[in-house]
Amino acid sequence: MMLVTDQSAEVDSQDMSTKALGNFVQCPVCRTSHVPTNGALKDGVYASTCENCGHFFKFKATGPLKSSVNFTINGTSYSVGNQYAAALSLNEFMRSQGVSYGTKVMCMEGGCGVCLVTTTLYDPITKAVQTYTVNSCLVPLYTCDGMQVTTIEGLGNPRDGLHPIQDRLAQYNGSQCGFCSPAQVMNMYGLLKRTPNPTMQQVENAYDASICRCTGYRPILDAMKSFASDSAPNLPGGTIDIEELDKKICSKTGKTCTGRCSSEGQTDPEHVPLHIVLQGSQWYKPTTRQQLYALLGQHKGDNYRLVFGNSGYGVYKEIGPWMYDVLIDLRGIQEFYDISIDSSKVLFGPSITLTNMMEVFEKNSTNPGLSYFRDFASHVAVIANTGVRNLGSWAGNLMLKNLHTEFPSDVFTMFETVGATLFIGSSDGSEKSYSLMDFLNLDMKGKVILSVMLPTFPSGDVYVKTFKITPRHQNAHAYVTAGFRMQLDRNNNFTLKTKPSLVYGGINKTLVHASNTEAFLQGKQLGDPAVLQRAIATLSAELVPDTTPGLSSTTYRKNLAVSLFYKCVLGMCGEKAAARFQSGGTNLMRPVSSGTQTYDSHKDEYPLTQPMTKVDAPLQTSGTAQYINDVPPVQREVCASFVISNVGNADIDTVDTSAALSYPGVLKYISAADIPQGGRNSFSATFFLPEEIFCSGRVLYSGQPIGLIVAVDKLSADTAASMVKVTYKNVQPPIITMEDAIQKKSVFPNVVKGIKVGDAAAAIAGSDHQITGRIQMGHQYHFHMETQVSICYPAEDGVGVSLLSSTQWSDMEQIVVAKLLNIPESRVNVTVPRLGGSYGAKITRAALPACAAALATHILRRPVRLAMNFHTNMKTIGKRFPYLADYTVGVNNDGKLNGIKLTANADCGVSPNDNAFIAFGPCMDNAYYCPTWDFKGVLLKTNTAVNTACRSPGSCPANFIMESMMEHVAKVLNKDPLEFRKLNLFNKGQTTAAGMFLKYCNIKDMVAQLETSADVQTRKQQVAAFNQANRWKKKGISVVPLRFDIPYTQINYSVYLTVYHGDGSVAISIGSVENGQGINTKMMQVCAFELGIPLDIITVKPMTTFVDTNSFATGGSVSSDVNALGVIQCCQQLKTRMAPVKAEMVNPTWQQLVAKCYSERMDLSARSYTDPTGDSTKYNIYGATCTEVEVDVLTGENQINRVDILYDCGESMNPEIDIGQAEGAFVMGLGYWMTEQMIFDPTTGTALTDGTWEYKPPLGKDIPIDFRIQFLKNAPNPRGVLRAKAVGEPPLCMAASALFAVKHAIEAARKDISQDTFFPLDGPATVDRIQTGCQVNNSHLVYGN
């Protein structure tokens, strides 16, 4: 019988000298593993010769052989052998094989959630296979054996019929750029499959998996909550039954399924062991504990890893499956799914997922001995996200803690708090019990966790409380985790009967128990105030936090840890505390969120001003909308990946590419030396300073591209790029902070023009008060869900190139690629169908990957795809400009502003090219009149990536700085901040600091209207009463006005419109690109209105540099306005041309008129090149926002209870789209002011917050609980196109009201300790900054009686 080395069969030894291990046979001489070459063996005795050493031996086969994994995707069967790498994910398989382009990819670490699919997994509670939502980027392909996967394509499409979830999301305007929409749909599908009648709360809890940068989540949540059993009356749609839910698209017919093509059977019905020999590694799937032990014994000395959820590499990249030679999949071992509950203990097998464990906790929390399960269920609910909880097991979470003791494992904290016991098996078959403390130091080589035993506490006097304090409400790791267990005699002043358990994570690498405090408390009366104070002092002394770059401060983590103990004590002994102090014992409670949207429209103008869903929404929610990276690869196409620097201020010494070039599939390394003769090594526009595509010598920032690896696929390119070894010389300390740049005078000179109005110095000197301060704000990463991507195709002559590119500025891209390759611009074609988000990041920065891809295409004469790796994108591409402002304000006792002196420093990174001071000046006085100004702008040079435009680039910092000054002055004058603001609001007829005459100013009326509609005065009194009654919870309320300057003078866009004579249908091509703002839909509405034709015969084509030549960038909130002007001009040209023909006809239909014009040889196309001029091309947008927040003083946690926005949108072209834009911009602003923070390594300048683990844009529970937005009614814009006003950016500025509301809450906390003096609150106001700002110290942590 012929055998092959290193594959598998389940065998017993016939020859006593032959060692049988698991599902394969070893040669007794050389230990080489073998399987038969001709398929599965029947039971029997066989003889063969070792392929390695030639030894003849016999063996007995006792079971089947399996060396492939089999699964289905949307009903189609797939069988995978050993042709792929062990690290290949299900996501990469589906996208590379063209199985599902609707399933998107971004972070590849389970943190962004655009890759969600559903799959069948074994459910140990029901002991059946059920459908779960999972992150396909985390699922290794080879774990898919027996799974039935459903992707967005399996649910529905516009042609054959949308699935109800797809349709509902589209109808609720829950899709803007659309990149995350398939994932949002799949998340709901997975929820409804397991919970057919969820509550609205269950829906909101499940929506922690997918980030949406566009919508602000409200419409997504509304769409999904409309399926809930308790859905609100204002959410139409209703629940759906199981038949509707499973109306999938049949893979065989392409139509809606009429029956079940395949039942959801067992995940692996055969329970057959698996062994596959892959390139460079082996994959095993044992089905029994004994087989696993055998494998552990055989590979104990090898580089192996046990695989279950595979979610850990989202945190620690070194445990990624590509790092191992042997991978052992645990999903086939049925006994690992055991759950046992009796009166004395609860046992969980190691393959119980976090989701399954949470369900057991919830189900058994009413058991008196397991009352702590209620708390545990709440804690597990905030571990990672839905997709990760469905995949990852509790045992895997503990193994991360074993590998990295600094990991703040929630599971470890919870289990150690109650004194859980682990049972661990070894390869020799021995099985032992361990405490979790022993487990921390246990070498797990050759071992596996078998179960955990949790105790019951039937006595009823054991109190358990755990905490997890995070930078974001959902899907975030902890600053600090804590768990407390105390056995209390409530009748004896809360005496601790036994030694308590005080467990912490996130303090340092070694501290788990606060042992000194535990020992002190034993036998003490916790109700005694002196005991509490001594316990806090003891605890404070033994908590010594690590200092680690990227972590929050040691001061905060220590204060937080102590506060959590105090919080626990208040919760357990609340009756000992004064009434004002008792709120410290509870967490913030967030109810289900809701929103209202109010606007008017004009039916006589329909379809203009008609609220309607985006025309592409059904394409987006069904996953059929094609983004750049969804375009299938063509023949000979290759992939590229940047090689980037990891230091920020040095010269390149050597670049060693040998290891990278020897990696399988790698084709070439490209650098600056490969740029053709006469070509330009710069991706910046010719009127900017040069910015190198590839570093030519001096590295300016960490993350700067040094070269490019080109390989046959993306995985190989990314892997090889990381293998290029670069050494440096003349390494200098990088300048990272603005303070450092100011101190070292690292500036770009003579770039910013200042603004002077009157004699500010004299006005300030003559004022009753001169108030000086400093305020600053940080970076913001754009977090476009589609990373920077370009695909370049060579022209047939080998000279020209055509690019598919995700860019906001195709004209610039065309120019810089032509300059790079030293070819005419006419030989470069750029096409942009749509963007998966941009927010300014793809105006100038998109030219970098475009140039790199074009150069690779030029050199290799092959199509090249460069989709930037998410982490590279975060390190290499600049962000929103940080600002540091110094100011002096002169003000009189009456509260009127006299003069302002302002120096604003902007952190440009290594080039000032994209600085936004041109937009700063016109907005710097916001809504306030001050007669004299002295403004100076300074451009700082730091060793960071070139910062670039980010939604509301100059106006956002200008607005915040002005409002911070107003807050400061109001505090010094002891005036109510709103009343002080109202004193200084602009009047109609005044002139701004930048010289704009305010002909139509209505800001005073809008503030007054908001005060009434939001009931501001009553709520201010309620907030004051709440703060008086509560020491440890504080509310804050803030009203902030907005004036936003919109100039659209001389903005040039090419607009082309053509009418097809056969049926009269119309096609438009505009100079801007659809990136979620609904511009295509608006252009169709304008065209339909102008020509008087139905909307459904109009289409908008992708933007190209051939048709839409010489067009400006999409951005600045003016693209819709100005392109609409172009469409109007085209329509007017056609109507003028057609008028004589129409005059000779009697009431012709549009089709008849078109046919007649064509018969008379009329040109049925029109083109406009916009060039708006005059006073009418500048206007102001006004708005007002009231935000109310609640803050937990002890932790810094906060929530936004209510937001009221009144916004002047003019006469909106499409209120439904514009409301969505306003909400989305506001929530992006909430991220900037509350949760998003970039941190850089001070030594190298490398971004430490370069992934979803550390960088936290908002999620669904970060938005206002009560979100009310109203567009000002009956307010046509006399200066705008079609009486409309812009909406894409201004609402982002309004989100600063949340920071100021938080500031007022902090002031209320400081007032309680007589510290109510002015302090600056820089952005972002993160959880740690808020708690630190409240100035809590140990002496305050008392019962308060």
Side-chain angles (χ1 to χ4, degrees):
M1 184 69 213
M2 285 298 295
L3 296 170
V4 170
T5 304
D6 278 328
Q7 292 194 21
S8 61
E10 187 168 338
V11 297
D12 261 344
S13 172
Q14 178 71 12
D15 180 343
M16 292 302 292
S17 62
T18 304
K19 188 175 180 186
L21 278 173
N23 56 341
F24 49 86
V25 67
Q26 267 192 359
C27 167
V29 175
C30 69
R31 303 294 184 217
T32 299
S33 302
H34 296 76
V35 293
T37 57
N38 59 349
L41 300 178
K42 296 177 181 177
D43 288 0
V45 177
Y46 296 88
S48 192
T49 302
C50 175
E51 290 288 294
N52 187 48
C53 70
H55 176 69
F56 176 80
F57 62 96
K58 294 180 180 180
F59 65 93
K60 179 183 178 183
T62 58
L65 159 77
K66 195 170 177 185
S67 57
S68 64
V69 297
N70 303 288
F71 53 92
T72 68
I73 302 176
N74 300 328
T76 299
S77 298
Y78 294 86
S79 182
V80 174
N82 65 352
Q83 66 266 47
Y84 298 106
L88 193 78
S89 67
L90 172 62
N91 182 279
E92 290 165 306
F93 170 78
M94 293 192 302
R95 290 186 59 84
S96 65
Q97 300 304 304
V99 175
S100 173
Y101 289 119
T103 304
K104 300 295 184 266
V105 63
M106 199 270 273
C107 73
M108 287 298 292
E109 59 187 16
C112 75
V114 298
C115 66
L116 296 185
V117 299
T118 63
T119 188
T120 51
L121 298 172
Y122 179 70
D123 177 13
I125 299 171
T126 60
K127 296 188 166 35
V129 167
Q130 291 201 14
T131 299
Y132 291 83
T133 305
V134 298
N135 297 72
S136 63
C137 74
L138 294 179
V139 179
L141 178 65
Y142 287 100
T143 63
C144 293
D145 198 31
M147 292 184 184
Q148 294 174 28
V149 177
T150 302
T151 72
I152 190 71
E153 291 89 349
L155 297 190
N157 60 64
R159 182 172 173 178
D160 300 309
L162 291 177
H163 188 278
I165 304 174
Q166 295 170 332
D167 183 56
R168 200 82 58 92
L169 183 60
Q171 294 307 317
Y172 271 77
N173 193 31
S175 180
Q176 287 188 20
C177 87
F179 201 80
C180 76
S181 298
Q184 309 289 0
V185 170
M186 294 311 299
N187 194 12
M188 192 64 194
Y189 178 72
L191 176 64
L192 290 176
K193 285 290 284 183
R194 296 197 70 234
T195 312
N197 293 295
T199 63
M200 291 197 292
Q201 186 66 68
Q202 286 176 306
V203 172
E204 288 205 352
N205 292 347
Y207 270 76
D208 60 357
S210 300
I211 293 169
C212 174
R213 193 53 137 172
C214 292
T215 64
Y217 298 100
R218 195 276 312 160
I220 296 173
L221 293 174
D222 276 2
M224 302 315 174
K225 285 185 293 192
S226 72
F227 289 99
S229 56
D230 59 347
S231 176
N234 65 326
L235 301 178
T239 59
I240 58 172
D241 56 33
I242 195 69
E243 286 77 19
E244 281 186 281
L245 180 63
D246 278 327
K247 280 185 178 176
K248 298 183 190 175
I249 297 297
C250 177
S251 60
K252 299 179 179 67
T253 66
K255 305 292 184 185
T256 303
C257 281
T258 52
R260 298 295 295 278
C261 297
S262 61
S263 62
E264 293 179 1
Q266 287 291 325
T267 303
D268 182 3
E270 302 171 86
H271 288 292
V272 179
L274 176 72
H275 179 206
I276 305 176
V277 178
L278 307 165
Q279 182 181 312
S281 61
Q282 299 182 67
W283 189 281
Y284 293 98
K285 183 182 179 183
T287 57
T288 67
R289 194 189 310 191
Q290 286 67 37
Q291 291 169 13
L292 174 61
Y293 286 162
L295 289 169
L296 290 174
Q298 182 192 4
H299 294 291
K300 193 174 180 179
D302 297 335
N303 183 24
Y304 78 89
R305 184 187 159 205
L306 304 180
V307 180
F308 185 78
N310 195 46
S311 56
Y313 91 84
V315 185
Y316 297 112
K317 297 298 178 281
E318 79 271 14
I319 62 166
W322 55 88
M323 303 294 289
Y324 295 87
D325 304 324
V326 176
L327 294 129
I328 304 171
D329 180 3
L330 301 179
R331 286 194 176 272
I333 303 175
Q334 201 66 21
E335 61 194 292
F336 278 9
Y337 292 96
D338 287 349
I339 298 172
S340 157
I341 301 175
D342 61 36
S343 60
S344 63
K345 64 184 180 303
V346 177
L347 284 169
F348 288 114
S351 293
I352 301 302
T353 64
L354 296 171
T355 294
N356 296 148
M357 191 168 73
M358 181 170 70
E359 289 167 350
V360 172
F361 288 155
E362 288 170 344
K363 185 178 178 183
N364 293 278
S365 62
T366 55
N367 180 329
L370 296 172
S371 58
Y372 70 89
F373 272 17
R374 186 179 298 108
D375 194 71
F376 273 21
S378 300
H379 196 131
V380 175
V382 291
I383 298 177
N385 59 56
T386 298
V388 171
R389 289 193 297 272
N390 288 343
L391 276 176
S393 67
W394 64 265
N397 189 288
L398 283 187
M399 283 303 299
L400 282 184
K401 183 72 172 177
N402 178 269
L403 288 167
H404 289 270
T405 53
E406 77 279 7
F407 174 62
S409 164
D410 295 285
V411 173
F412 182 89
T413 299
M414 291 159 56
F415 285 2
E416 180 59 16
T417 298
V418 296
T421 301
L422 286 180
F423 294 91
I424 293 174
S426 297
S427 55
D428 61 7
S430 63
E431 299 175 357
K432 297 179 183 175
S433 64
Y434 294 85
S435 72
L436 268 81
M437 296 303 292
D438 290 338
F439 164 75
L440 273 188
N441 301 309
L442 188 64
D443 180 1
M444 289 296 289
K445 271 283 185 183
K447 296 183 178 67
V448 62
I449 297 173
L450 298 176
S451 63
V452 65
M453 183 177 74
L454 300 177
T456 60
F457 300 120
S459 61
D461 58 358
V462 176
Y463 299 88
V464 176
K465 183 65 184 171
T466 65
F467 294 95
K468 177 180 185 176
I469 310 303
T470 57
R472 182 174 65 189
H473 287 101
Q474 298 163 291
N475 195 12
H477 67 88
Y479 292 114
V480 169
T481 59
F484 305 99
R485 185 189 81 241
M486 301 183 194
Q487 188 172 13
L488 297 172
D489 183 349
R490 300 181 69 90
N491 297 320
N492 188 17
N493 204 16
F494 297 93
T495 298
L496 284 110
K497 296 182 180 180
T498 53
K499 183 179 176 182
S501 180
L502 279 67
V503 177
Y504 286 102
I507 301 297
N508 59 47
K509 288 186 177 182
T510 55
L511 184 130
V512 175
H513 280 270
S515 306
N516 297 344
T517 312
E518 290 175 345
F520 165 75
L521 283 170
Q522 186 171 354
K524 301 289 194 310
Q525 293 184 351
L526 194 54
D528 181 346
V531 170
L532 175 61
Q533 275 297 290
R534 281 191 61 195
I536 285 170
T538 306
L539 179 61
S540 185
E542 66 178 319
L543 294 176
V544 184
D546 282 344
T547 302
T548 309
L551 286 179
S552 53
S553 72
T554 55
T555 303
Y556 169 65
R557 282 182 288 127
K558 181 171 181 171
N559 287 346
L560 176 61
V562 174
S563 290
L564 291 178
F565 169 70
Y566 173 67
K567 197 174 188 57
C568 170
V569 171
L570 288 180
M572 293 179 181
C573 315
E575 64 203 58
K576 302 297 294 185
R580 284 192 78 234
F581 285 68
Q582 290 178 8
S583 63
T586 59
N587 296 329
L588 293 173
M589 298 302 295
R590 181 185 173 91
V592 171
S593 65
S594 63
T596 57
Q597 308 82 44
T598 309
Y599 50 80
D600 60 2
S601 62
H602 303 272
K603 292 188 176 180
D604 56 326
E605 298 179 10
Y606 280 10
L608 198 64
T609 80
Q610 184 176 353
M612 63 171 67
T613 302
K614 272 180 55 176
V615 290
D616 282 349
L619 296 176
Q620 294 170 184
T621 61
S622 63
T624 50
Q626 191 178 62
Y627 300 82
I628 302 294
N629 209 25
D630 300 335
V631 175
V634 297
Q635 274 194 323
R636 302 186 71 244
E637 183 175 304
V638 293
C639 293
S641 184
F642 280 119
V643 176
I644 60 174
S645 67
N646 58 13
V647 300
N649 190 5
D651 292 325
I652 294 173
D653 188 12
T654 64
V655 180
D656 181 0
T657 61
S658 54
L661 291 174
S662 64
Y663 188 82
V666 173
L667 302 172
K668 191 168 180 63
Y669 172 76
I670 292 170
S671 68
D674 296 296
I675 292 173
Q677 188 173 2
R680 177 174 174 258
N681 183 18
S682 175
F683 67 92
S684 62
T686 50
F687 47 82
F688 284 149
L689 297 174
E691 291 183 57
E692 289 190 332
I693 301 162
F694 297 119
C695 180
S696 62
R698 185 69 187 174
V699 174
L700 301 177
Y701 69 96
S702 179
Q704 184 175 354
I706 292 172
L708 193 74
I709 286 287
V710 185
V712 293
D713 58 47
K714 178 169 170 53
L715 188 60
S716 301
D718 284 345
T719 303
S722 68
M723 297 167 70
V724 174
K725 297 181 178 67
V726 182
T727 63
Y728 305 91
K729 59 186 179 183
N730 190 22
V731 179
Q732 302 294 318
I735 296 173
I736 301 301
T737 67
M738 292 184 283
E739 291 90 343
D740 198 16
I742 292 168
Q743 182 189 344
K744 294 176 179 174
K745 296 182 169 55
S746 179
V747 301
F748 296 101
N750 307 320
V751 180
V752 182
K753 185 179 178 183
I755 296 175
K756 287 199 173 189
V757 180
D759 188 344
I764 293 169
S767 299
D768 295 331
H769 301 272
Q770 298 83 30
I771 298 163
T772 297
R774 169 176 281 191
I775 194 73
Q776 61 180 301
M777 62 226 76
H779 294 84
Q780 183 177 32
Y781 175 60
H782 302 78
F783 224 100
H784 39 85
M785 306 308 290
E786 172 197 52
T787 61
Q788 303 277 2
V789 55
S790 282
I791 310 173
C792 189
Y793 305 94
E796 58 190 2
D797 60 5
V799 177
V801 291
S802 292
L803 286 143
L804 276 175
S805 191
S806 183
T807 178
Q808 293 173 251
W809 198 0
S810 57
D811 178 61
M812 175 195 159
E813 198 161 284
Q814 180 184 35
I815 293 169
V816 296
V817 168
K819 297 289 184 189
L820 161 69
L821 301 180
N822 195 21
I823 60 176
E825 286 175 44
S826 60
R827 308 300 295 276
V828 179
N829 304 308
V830 182
T831 301
V832 193
R834 58 169 56 84
L835 307 182
S838 53
Y839 321 106
K842 297 177 181 177
I843 297 178
T844 60
R845 304 299 99 188
L848 173 60
C851 285
L855 180 59
T857 292
H858 177 81
I859 291 167
L860 296 173
R861 299 188 181 185
R862 296 176 69 165
V864 175
R865 183 181 301 241
L866 204 175
M868 284 183 71
N869 171 293
F870 168 61
H871 299 284
T872 304
N873 204 120
M874 281 201 78
K875 290 175 179 174
T876 300
I877 302 299
K879 296 141 193 90
R880 183 187 293 280
F881 284 76
Y883 283 79
L884 184 153
D886 292 308
Y887 58 83
T888 301
V889 181
V891 62
N892 283 340
N893 290 326
D894 63 1
K896 285 293 187 82
L897 296 171
N898 284 337
I900 294 175
K901 183 179 181 183
L902 172 64
T903 299
N905 301 275
D907 179 353
C908 298
V910 298
S911 171
N913 279 346
D914 290 1
N915 87 83
F917 270 121
I918 191 171
F920 187 102
C923 292
M924 69 182 184
D925 45 2
N926 192 25
Y928 310 107
Y929 177 71
C930 180
T932 65
W933 273 86
D934 184 356
F935 164 69
K936 178 185 177 187
V938 180
L939 298 175
L940 302 176
K941 182 179 182 180
T942 59
N943 293 112
T944 57
V946 178
N947 290 315
T948 191
C950 183
R951 199 173 196 169
S952 197
S955 42
C956 169
N959 177 288
F960 176 69
I961 292 165
M962 184 69 214
E963 292 300 336
S964 296
M965 289 191 279
M966 298 299 284
E967 288 281 327
H968 191 169
V969 175
K971 194 70 177 175
V972 171
L973 297 182
N974 196 26
K975 287 186 179 291
D976 177 276
L978 175 56
E979 297 307 314
F980 172 62
R981 284 177 164 93
K982 285 158 62 176
L983 271 176
N984 289 282
L985 289 172
F986 275 121
N987 290 310
K988 190 182 296 186
Q990 289 179 324
T991 302
T992 69
M996 186 179 187
F997 180 72
L998 300 179
K999 187 177 179 181
Y1000 302 103
C1001 178
N1002 62 348
I1003 186 61
K1004 284 191 170 180
D1005 293 341
M1006 289 190 68
V1007 170
Q1009 183 176 332
L1010 180 78
E1011 275 194 273
T1012 301
S1013 64
D1015 198 12
V1016 171
Q1017 296 306 324
T1018 301
R1019 289 168 57 203
K1020 281 164 69 172
Q1021 293 169 9
Q1022 291 169 345
V1023 165
F1026 177 89
N1027 291 340
Q1028 185 65 36
N1030 290 278
R1031 172 68 181 96
W1032 299 121
K1033 297 283 194 307
K1034 296 295 181 184
K1035 290 183 178 181
I1037 188 168
S1038 174
V1039 175
V1040 175
L1042 172 75
R1043 181 189 63 83
F1044 193 103
D1045 178 85
I1046 289 281
Y1048 62 99
T1049 309
Q1050 295 182 323
I1051 300 290
N1052 306 130
Y1053 292 117
S1054 285
V1055 177
Y1056 182 76
L1057 186 152
T1058 191
V1059 182
Y1060 295 95
H1061 74 90
D1063 61 1
S1065 59
V1066 176
I1068 308 170
S1069 185
I1070 60 174
S1072 289
V1073 62
E1074 174 65 63
N1075 63 5
Q1077 82 281 49
I1079 193 169
N1080 288 355
T1081 303
K1082 286 184 174 181
M1083 296 311 102
M1084 292 165 64
Q1085 290 174 272
V1086 172
C1087 179
F1089 173 74
E1090 289 291 327
L1091 295 180
I1093 61 176
L1095 202 72
D1096 59 9
I1097 67 169
I1098 306 169
T1099 188
V1100 179
K1101 301 287 187 181
M1103 185 236 253
T1104 71
T1105 48
F1106 174 58
V1107 177
D1108 308 300
T1109 317
N1110 305 330
S1111 287
F1112 185 60
T1114 302
S1117 296
V1118 298
S1119 304
S1120 294
D1121 285 6
V1122 184
N1123 280 283
L1125 180 64
V1127 171
I1128 293 168
Q1129 291 169 351
C1130 288
C1131 292
Q1132 287 172 345
Q1133 291 173 35
L1134 282 174
K1135 286 193 291 185
T1136 300
R1137 208 178 297 160
M1138 293 169 130
V1141 176
K1142 185 177 181 180
E1144 296 177 3
M1145 302 174 72
V1146 179
N1147 295 324
T1149 64
W1150 171 252
Q1151 287 84 351
Q1152 290 169 340
L1153 177 59
V1154 168
K1156 181 65 173 172
C1157 290
Y1158 174 74
S1159 71
E1160 297 193 8
R1161 297 178 299 284
M1162 183 182 293
D1163 180 5
L1164 293 173
S1165 298
R1167 181 175 178 272
S1168 167
Y1169 188 66
T1170 63
D1171 187 30
T1173 56
D1175 282 347
S1176 64
T1177 61
K1178 280 196 76 168
Y1179 62 84
N1180 282 298
I1181 290 165
Y1182 297 99
T1185 309
C1186 176
T1187 301
E1188 182 184 320
V1189 303
E1190 187 173 349
V1191 167
D1192 187 319
V1193 175
L1194 292 171
T1195 65
E1197 295 169 296
N1198 57 88
Q1199 63 187 23
I1200 302 172
N1201 288 344
R1202 178 171 161 184
V1203 166
D1204 295 77
I1205 294 174
L1206 179 62
Y1207 185 82
D1208 177 10
C1209 201
E1211 198 173 280
S1212 168
M1213 295 184 204
N1214 185 326
E1216 184 173 318
I1217 285 175
D1218 286 345
I1219 283 278
Q1221 283 286 287
E1223 290 176 326
F1226 186 83
V1227 172
M1228 184 171 176
L1230 289 181
Y1232 184 47
W1233 296 119
M1234 303 303 294
T1235 62
E1236 298 179 45
Q1237 188 174 26
M1238 287 298 302
I1239 300 172
F1240 298 88
D1241 186 304
T1243 305
T1244 65
T1246 301
L1248 299 175
T1249 48
D1250 68 329
T1252 57
W1253 178 250
E1254 291 289 359
Y1255 193 82
K1256 299 299 179 186
L1259 274 168
K1261 288 191 179 180
D1262 297 296
I1263 71 170
I1265 296 167
D1266 183 353
F1267 198 178
R1268 308 182 189 194
I1269 183 165
Q1270 179 178 356
F1271 282 174
L1272 188 66
K1273 295 184 178 180
N1274 302 313
N1277 179 11
R1279 288 185 165 183
V1281 178
L1282 292 170
R1283 302 163 300 284
K1285 286 191 176 183
V1287 71
E1289 294 176 301
L1292 184 139
C1293 300
M1294 304 170 90
S1297 60
L1299 180 142
F1300 295 121
V1302 164
K1303 189 172 189 292
H1304 296 165
I1306 296 172
E1307 288 170 353
R1310 291 163 72 121
K1311 186 177 181 181
D1312 283 350
I1313 53 172
S1314 302
Q1315 294 294 321
D1316 190 17
T1317 54
F1318 170 77
F1319 64 95
L1321 183 58
D1322 296 335
T1326 51
V1327 169
D1328 53 329
R1329 282 185 179 170
I1330 292 169
Q1331 197 268 359
T1332 303
C1334 290
Q1335 297 190 331
V1336 177
N1337 67 46
N1338 293 349
S1339 68
H1340 303 147
L1341 306 180
V1342 296
Y1343 285 128
N1345 290 313

